[in-house]
Amino acid sequence: MAHPQRVEPGSFLTLHYRLAGPDGQPVVDTFSDKPATLSLGAGQLSPAIEAHLVGLEEGAAASFELPAGAAFGDRNPELLQRVKR
């Protein structure tokens, strides 16, 4: 009987994922469209998020919370940009 593959650093993944803010409202949600395809370590997700994916078995579902600042770093007002509608 074959063992399921596990996510490893550098794995190439196709997955659905949802990122939500502290209010629970989705910021990114692929479940209503095609799944995302990405390579771990390529900078497409933050290292903190990737660390939670490493070790998961193929086909697994997981949910986790990250403290403020851990997902994409602390808020930096210098990175805010205003754009016209």
Side-chain angles (χ1 to χ4, degrees):
M1 184 176 210
H3 294 283
Q5 292 186 327
R6 292 191 178 271
V7 176
E8 299 176 2
S11 289
F12 190 70
L13 305 174
T14 298
L15 73 162
H16 278 291
Y17 69 98
R18 178 181 303 113
L19 300 176
D23 60 0
Q25 291 300 309
V27 176
V28 175
D29 187 347
T30 68
F31 287 90
S32 62
D33 201 9
K34 292 184 267 181
T37 299
L38 52 92
S39 177
L40 289 187
Q44 295 167 298
L45 293 174
S46 75
I49 294 172
E50 288 187 2
H52 281 82
L53 298 175
V54 171
L56 292 177
E57 289 184 356
E58 181 178 359
S63 178
F64 49 88
E65 288 187 36
L66 296 173
F72 295 103
D74 292 323
R75 183 178 176 89
N76 183 346
E78 293 180 18
L79 296 178
L80 294 177
Q81 296 180 8
R82 299 211 181 267
V83 295
K84 292 184 179 184
R85 288 185 186 194

